Amino acid sequence: MRTLNFDNRFYRELPGDAITDNYTRQVKDALWSSVMPTPVKAPSLMAYSSDVAEMLGLSDADMHDPDMVNALGGNQLLPGMQPYATCYGGHQFGNWAGQLGDGRAIYLGELVHNNQRFELQLKGAGETPYSRRADGRAVLRSSLREFLCSEAMYYLGVPTTRALSLVCTGDQVVRDMFYDGNPQMEQGAIVCRVAPSFTRFGHFELLASRGNLALLKQMIGFTIDRDFSDWLQQQNHTLSKDEPSTALIEAWFTEICERTARMIAHWMRVGFVHGVMNTDNMSIIGLTIDYGPYGWVDNFDPGWTPNTTDAQGRRYCFGRQHDIGRWNLERLADALSTILPDAVGLNHALDQYETVYTQSLIDALVGKFGLDTWQDDDGELINRCFELMTRAEVDMTLFFTHLSHINLASPNIADLKIAFYTEQGYTNFESDFNAWLAQYAKRILQSTESIAARQARMASHNPRYVLRNYLAQEAIDLAEQGDSSMIETLLKLLKNPYTQQAGMEKFEDKRPDWARHKAGCSMLSCSS
Ligand code: AMP
Ligand code: MG
């Protein structure tokens, strides 16, 4: 196994927990606790992302090296690794939950390659001081979903954490999938996640809630220094690491607001629903993080949520993600306000969230609909389309991939029939859609852009292939039989989500009827 260059700044520069025994507790005055992954029975590599491996300087041979597979399964450390779990809190479903922390994610350290720094994290590697009453493990189905989706999101151009590997542990894990008193044994698995930083809003919130203001300042200083170094270079401020200035903190929070806005606008563009936007699942560097009961919109519906735990309140449904992003940023602002003289700068930053979100969404919609520019009336035109899509049950992905090919001289909704889920939806809304299409065609024909140019622009904003919930479920059903072929197929397909690929037509299909209400396809629960 080649030598890897670890430089574990979080571990070295921030204060750690004095206790090193592994039992559940409140951890004060520290940002991390040392903890070893708990060994598993028989780690085996089910899949890996060769692009992430390459990004980390790992060859295909390295990935198959028994030392590496053991390390990715939590059975062995490679030289330079220093395992720890971090301490954070969070607002869950609108309520302050106190200390949460990495209950089943264990950092291995920070790998530096080509001047880039990556935190490596094993999700499902066993109990930590933050595991509370849970087992620190993850099951194959949820690990596979995180592995595939984070890679798919990356290739869609959505800011996200990445995944290096999916390792089966050979151990069984007990899960009550629907919290209905029917626990079952399932296969355990571990994903090695990779990101420049896994720091969450909740890291800052917990320190503020405990009045630990010196450590809050230190954590902000550390985060700006390590995770925002490129951004910092463009600022007119210098960083005092233990006492970052008010102006710098405000500028930094503005940057966080802008990144969050852009990330969520991307989610809306591609039809991604995170499902658990608790503040402990919000990345400080604006990445999509913690893939749990996420889902992809099939029939366009702003009220849809994949998360059964949220089926009543629909707090985290598709159409509310922008509002929730704002709410979460306000909670981060509350934490930062404990060390600032007033909230004026923070409020400006929140305004900036709205401005950047609106602009990013407009850019996305202009691209999705193939408009030349944004005109005042376009909002109304688009809203009418979304309203009809919702009421008629129209598939989001198929609608947009086919919209670019309608005949503008005599547009007819029949050309988009493939996107309708029911015959009834089609017949009931046929005339409404035709009226809309006539208006839409008129609007498009105002432009002098060539058809080919418009189609190319639309194709670059509208994914042809997304990780539909039923596709992930099919990959899971096979993987549970030890067959990773569909993971490989999907990984390859989703690397080029905007390009039509020969022989891959069936992956464009809308959700089949069997998947409409099937567990795993339209219904998922939290932490599995
Ligand atoms: P999540 O809903 O996955 O974001 O998790 C919320 C909190 O519960 C975090 O502190 C997690 O680390 C913790 N958690 C979730 N699942 C487990 C588990 N199986 N074992 C230990 N902690 C967990
Ligand atoms: Mg989480």
Side-chain angles (χ1 to χ4, degrees), residues 4 50 78 128 189 198 219 253 272 284 291 347 349 359 363 374-375 386 420 443 466 470 477 502 507 514 521:
L4 302 175
S50 37
L78 299 177
T128 77
F198 283 94
M219 179 63 182
F253 180 61
F272 175 80
I284 205 75
Y291 291 83
N347 286 332
Q359 192 53 54
D363 291 348
W374 183 256
Q375 295 177 6
F386 284 152
F420 286 72
R443 169 70 183 85
V466 295
Y470 83 88
D477 291 342
F507 296 103
W514 61 259
C521 297

Side-chain angles (χ1 to χ4, degrees), residues 240-291:
S240 155
K241 277 212 256 173
D242 292 329
E243 196 73 45
S245 69
T246 296
L248 186 59
I249 293 174
E250 289 172 349
W252 173 65
F253 180 61
T254 308
E255 175 71 10
I256 295 164
C257 287
E258 292 181 2
R259 290 187 190 197
T260 306
R262 284 194 290 268
M263 171 185 79
I264 296 176
H266 274 295
W267 293 356
M268 302 312 288
R269 175 176 64 82
V270 299
F272 175 80
V273 188
H274 182 285
V276 212
M277 293 176 70
N278 292 331
T279 58
D280 52 302
N281 292 337
M282 295 292 293
S283 146
I284 205 75
I285 61 171
L287 304 179
T288 311
I289 193 173
D290 274 13
Y291 291 83

Side-chain angles (χ1 to χ4, degrees), residues 88 92 100-104 130-132 134-137 175 276 280-281 290 526-527:
Y88 58 80
Q92 297 185 311
L100 296 167
D102 294 309
R104 57 167 165 176
Y130 309 97
S131 296
R132 295 173 290 159
D135 60 3
R137 293 298 185 189
R175 282 292 179 274
V276 212
D280 52 302
N281 292 337
D290 274 13
C526 275
S527 308

Side-chain angles (χ1 to χ4, degrees), residues 403-468:
L403 182 64
S404 65
H405 293 284
I406 58 159
N407 178 355
L408 292 174
S410 62
N412 195 316
I413 194 67
D415 294 336
L416 290 165
K417 191 167 182 189
I418 191 173
F420 286 72
Y421 274 93
T422 64
E423 193 60 40
Q424 202 191 8
Y426 180 76
T427 38
N428 287 353
F429 291 93
E430 188 178 6
S431 61
D432 286 334
F433 261 116
N434 275 326
W436 181 82
L437 272 181
Q439 253 191 308
Y440 171 72
K442 211 168 117 200
R443 169 70 183 85
I444 296 295
L445 288 170
Q446 288 174 10
S447 159
T448 53
E449 188 180 25
S450 74
I451 295 178
R454 175 173 51 83
Q455 288 178 336
R457 220 155 41 79
M458 289 175 79
S460 71
H461 285 79
N462 292 311
R464 188 172 274 274
Y465 311 105
V466 295
L467 183 62
R468 290 180 184 269

